[in-house]
Amino acid sequence: MCSTVGVRWEQLRAGKEEPALPGLGAFGDFVRSVRPPEFDGVTFHEVRARSVLNRVPESSAVPFRWSVNPYRGCSHACTYCLEGDTPVLMADGRTKPIAELRVGDRIMGTRGHGVARRLVPTEVLAHWTTVRPAYRVTLEDGTRIVAGPDHRFLSARGWKYVTGSILGTAQRPHLEPGTELVGGGRFVRTPDDTLGYRAGYLCGMLRSGGFAAESDAATRALTYLPDFGSSVGFMRIPREPDAHWARGFLAGLFDLAGGYRRGTLSIAHDENEVVDMLFAALDRFSFSYDTVGHRQHPGRRQARLTGGTGEVLRFLHLVDPAVAWKRSLDGTVIGGVRRTVTSVAPTGVDLPLFDITTGTGDFIADGMVSHNCFARNTHTYLDFDAGRDFDTQVVVKVNAPEVLAAQLKRPSWQREPVAMGTNTDPYQRVEGRYRLMPGIIRALADSGTPLSILTKGTMLSRDLPLLESAGKDVPVHLAVSLALLDGDLQRRLEPGTPTPRARLDLIRKAAAAGLPCSVMVAPVLPYLTDSPEALDPLFAQLAEAGATRVTVLPLHLRPGAREWFAAWLKREYPELAPRYRRLYARGSYVDRGYRERLATVVGPLLRRHGLDPRAPRAHSETRTNPDPDPSGEAGTEVPAQRTEEAEQLRLL
């Protein structure tokens, strides 16, 4: 297994304070980890599983009770942590809500040992979301961070989870009242771009040197000047400036007469009126600072902020200067700043929570050093996109065929149907390396157990001869997900998945092998892939390829996927965003009126092409993922459809 020359095997090492992949033991006995060169950036963690036959919870209203998943996760097999509007520190010193981050964004992480940390730029490598129970962590300065129970913050005594216990199975380091966290405290809101802010900025900037010194400041000033026409009244300092003007004034001063070096932020000026206004503005926002010189004497005077990194961040966010190099925080010490936890309390509700993976393994969430979350045993309760980008961790149950065969020999086994592809795609590309599915198929067929496979992976064609043979002994059902023929849209919507043509070829091969193969046309995207012009040729090609039946599902937007898809739609089709808000105004399911209209389009087309929508269903066919993932391959796990939607599907 995996004997390719040049493959680098390495033992999984766990630090004393921070185990790699905590919870890995829940799958079985760890064997080793490997980072093969053909899977750049992916680590495969091999385990010898104790069990691979999974019983579906009774609460899950799906038409099967058992599933097998030889692989667990990749980029979505992680614990989800922070509320969507939690601000994350960007590399340019500004902030952005974690829900709005995207792969490739430059943010701030840390380097160092223990709590001796310095800020360094890093990159977002992965971004995902789900719904989980949420907890509110409150700090002494009023910071409130909503996070999942398994999220970790850096404390004065190392990394600590949001929740845990001193004793028992939940024992682990966790936050308690009095815990000191590393970080500067909550981020303040960046000022609104009001006319007052613009007037203050122009005053501070132009009275400190003007356009020649800093191009970033000049660019901003040129966008502000048209607001004032031919007037130069903004050059005067008002008698009673408001807060917006004061923020703009400090930003303009800093861009031309200030700087940040070696942990010290300072602003110096030699004009008395300007210096007096500088001190007044700093006092207005309660900044702590030292002065050089005296207010009553002429000459150059300087204000230097005190209070450490927290005050520097507060200044940058409060006033929002324009000059990029002066905003750089690279190398800033953050480990010396602490904030004390006053409470950790459950919110009592499940919320959409977001997580990212970064190059440094951490990031700054609302001022506090926050750890990336890695794959844990709790990931079995999360929605996966198995093999979407393969950019984090994959757990491989290397002994899955042998363990399954032993489980199926037990006298208690009743040979109930087993579904595969219900959590992670068994034919994600790592299957080409480990080849676990042939042994699994043989074990099921030899025991007389009916089986079904749902996949987007065309690697299934490798095992068609084996499945054809198994079909002589037990019922075998295949299902392929294919939502559209437009190759360009498919690449933007589901990058990394096999092309529509490749999936049509798979259906054709399955039909040639005599295996029933249904197709999930899911998700149908309102106003994008729902027209007769889009669906008719798709159904025609599915019929020509030999699909036994077709099920059509309109887009379903669960919390988390909803936010993700909204960002994709806004980026790719901004003109459709208002229409989608109306269609999904009542929740995750599309408006009933839309479903009825879609049914009137789909029904005649299916009948025209001989794809009988009322044919008996294979037990796996009602379980697929109608949620598109604009940044990767869509997964194969969804909750059961509501009764209302199930009735609509019968109409389709």
Side-chain angles (χ1 to χ4, degrees):
M1 184 188 300
C2 303
S3 59
T4 305
V5 176
V7 172
R8 176 177 160 226
W9 297 96
E10 62 183 25
Q11 283 297 115
L12 181 68
R13 292 185 171 89
K16 294 181 179 179
E17 296 181 357
E18 195 176 313
L21 276 174
L24 187 63
F27 294 104
D29 299 324
F30 171 72
V31 178
R32 58 187 174 181
S33 292
V34 59
R35 295 178 182 173
E38 66 268 36
F39 291 87
D40 185 32
V42 183
T43 301
F44 297 113
H45 303 282
E46 298 183 355
V47 299
R48 297 191 64 81
R50 303 182 186 97
S51 173
V52 295
L53 190 58
N54 307 310
R55 187 180 182 109
V56 177
E58 296 292 341
S59 59
S60 182
V62 293
F64 54 87
R65 297 177 60 197
W66 298 93
S67 66
V68 168
N69 295 286
Y71 304 102
R72 284 298 188 190
C74 58
S75 63
H76 283 61
C78 302
T79 302
Y80 300 82
C81 52
L82 296 173
E83 192 176 29
D85 61 0
T86 304
V88 171
L89 185 63
M90 307 300 290
D92 64 1
R94 295 182 170 89
T95 67
K96 182 183 287 189
I98 191 170
E100 296 179 12
L101 292 177
R102 293 294 177 263
V103 172
D105 281 352
R106 297 284 291 171
I107 67 173
M108 278 294 180
T110 73
R111 291 289 188 202
H113 300 284
V115 297
R117 303 278 172 147
R118 290 181 179 271
L119 295 175
V120 295
T122 187
E123 186 173 309
V124 176
L125 303 177
H127 180 272
W128 60 91
T129 183
T130 194
V131 177
R132 295 205 63 206
Y135 289 76
R136 182 177 291 105
V137 179
T138 304
L139 309 183
E140 61 178 339
D141 66 346
T143 302
R144 290 182 175 85
I145 303 177
V146 175
D150 300 305
H151 184 56
R152 284 181 287 172
F153 293 98
L154 182 61
S155 78
R157 295 178 177 269
W159 295 102
K160 295 200 174 188
Y161 294 91
V162 170
T163 65
S165 174
I166 299 176
L167 301 172
T169 57
Q171 181 181 6
R172 62 184 182 182
H174 60 280
L175 302 183
E176 298 176 294
T179 300
E180 289 187 337
L181 297 184
V182 175
R186 63 177 173 177
F187 296 142
V188 299
R189 179 185 172 188
T190 297
D192 295 328
D193 189 11
T194 64
L195 191 63
Y197 177 86
R198 294 186 168 204
Y201 183 85
L202 290 172
C203 180
M205 177 237 181
L206 294 176
R207 292 184 65 163
S208 302
F211 287 88
E214 296 290 348
S215 59
D216 290 344
T219 300
R220 178 181 285 190
L222 288 173
T223 65
Y224 289 176
L225 283 171
D227 292 336
F228 302 94
S230 59
S231 173
V232 292
F234 52 76
M235 294 291 289
R236 296 190 297 270
I237 295 177
R239 287 187 178 181
E240 296 182 358
D242 62 15
H244 292 284
W245 189 95
R247 289 182 176 187
F249 178 75
L250 288 174
L253 273 182
F254 179 77
D255 277 346
L256 271 294
Y260 176 63
R261 299 179 185 85
R262 298 178 181 177
T264 300
L265 189 149
S266 62
I267 302 174
H269 212 279
D270 56 9
E271 187 178 344
N272 287 340
E273 184 184 22
V274 173
V275 172
D276 288 342
M277 189 65 243
L278 164 63
F279 294 150
L282 292 174
D283 291 337
R284 178 177 196 140
F285 299 115
S286 301
F287 283 108
S288 299
Y289 60 95
D290 292 333
T291 63
V292 176
H294 194 277
R295 301 187 188 192
Q296 302 302 319
H297 296 279
R300 189 175 182 82
R301 287 176 290 172
Q302 179 175 260
R304 296 179 300 193
L305 292 191
T306 60
T309 303
E311 282 291 86
V312 172
L313 288 171
R314 187 164 76 91
F315 180 90
L316 294 178
H317 297 159
L318 186 73
V319 309
D320 191 31
V323 179
W325 73 268
K326 293 189 177 185
R327 300 181 62 108
S328 174
L329 298 168
D330 192 0
T332 297
V333 175
I334 195 170
V337 184
R338 312 287 171 82
R339 293 292 184 268
T340 303
V341 174
T342 58
S343 67
V344 179
T347 64
V349 296
D350 291 358
L351 294 175
L353 300 178
F354 295 77
D355 197 9
I356 58 176
T357 296
T358 72
T360 58
D362 61 5
F363 57 100
I364 312 301
D366 210 356
M368 314 313 297
V369 181
S370 175
H371 200 283
N372 286 182
C373 297
F374 296 101
R376 306 180 52 77
N377 59 337
T378 54
H379 78 285
T380 56
Y381 303 105
L382 305 182
D383 295 330
F384 291 159
D385 179 1
R388 179 177 64 94
D389 288 325
F390 288 92
D391 55 3
T392 51
Q393 314 291 330
V394 177
V395 177
V396 183
K397 301 175 184 178
V398 293
N399 62 338
E402 297 84 358
V403 172
L404 177 62
Q407 290 183 284
L408 296 175
K409 290 178 181 178
R410 293 174 182 171
S412 59
W413 178 241
Q414 299 297 309
R415 296 177 177 81
E416 297 181 68
V418 170
M420 288 170 281
T422 64
N423 197 349
T424 53
D425 194 330
Y427 285 101
Q428 53 181 283
R429 63 189 183 118
V430 66
E431 168 63 14
R433 165 174 289 276
Y434 287 99
R435 301 181 64 86
L436 299 179
M437 284 301 292
I440 290 172
I441 293 168
R442 281 192 291 267
L444 291 166
D446 291 347
S447 69
T449 300
L451 64 108
S452 67
I453 300 172
L454 172 60
T455 183
K456 286 191 175 190
T458 53
M459 194 178 299
L460 172 67
S461 61
R462 180 199 67 192
D463 293 340
L464 284 176
L466 178 60
L467 288 164
E468 182 181 6
S469 176
K472 298 174 182 177
D473 300 317
V474 297
V476 174
H477 297 283
L478 305 180
V480 174
S481 176
L482 176 57
L484 62 147
L485 294 176
D486 186 330
D488 178 65
L489 179 57
Q490 183 265 343
R491 283 189 295 272
R492 284 183 286 141
L493 188 64
E494 302 175 341
T497 63
T499 65
R501 180 177 297 278
R503 282 184 256 182
L504 284 168
D505 288 342
L506 174 61
I507 297 166
R508 213 171 270 113
K509 291 175 182 177
L515 294 167
C517 184
S518 62
V519 176
M520 312 298 292
V521 176
V524 172
L525 304 179
Y527 313 121
L528 288 174
T529 64
D530 59 351
S531 67
E533 293 75 19
L535 293 172
D536 190 42
L538 173 60
F539 294 161
Q541 293 208 33
L542 292 177
E544 185 275 332
T548 53
R549 64 180 307 279
V550 169
T551 299
V552 180
L553 293 172
L555 176 65
H556 168 64
L557 292 175
R558 299 190 305 277
R562 185 186 186 99
E563 293 83 3
W564 208 340
F565 181 80
W568 179 87
L569 189 71
K570 184 178 179 180
R571 182 174 65 251
E572 300 288 340
Y573 299 97
E575 71 281 2
L576 292 181
R579 302 177 76 179
Y580 270 73
R581 284 195 292 270
R582 290 192 293 271
L583 283 180
Y584 293 89
R586 298 183 62 183
S588 300
Y589 293 86
V590 69
D591 176 76
R592 184 182 180 90
Y594 174 85
R595 295 202 301 274
E596 292 173 350
R597 292 192 298 273
L598 181 62
T600 63
V601 172
V602 169
L605 295 178
L606 290 177
R607 289 190 288 273
R608 175 189 302 173
H609 296 290
L611 299 169
D612 184 2
R614 293 172 177 80
R617 292 173 181 262
H619 69 272
S620 66
E621 292 176 20
T622 57
R623 192 173 177 86
T624 187
N625 188 352
D627 293 326
D629 181 345
S631 61
E633 180 185 1
T636 55
E637 183 185 14
V638 298
Q641 303 293 331
R642 290 178 176 172
T643 303
E644 177 183 276
E645 185 168 85
E647 178 61 31
Q648 185 65 38
L649 293 178
R650 280 193 287 273
L651 294 176
L652 299 184

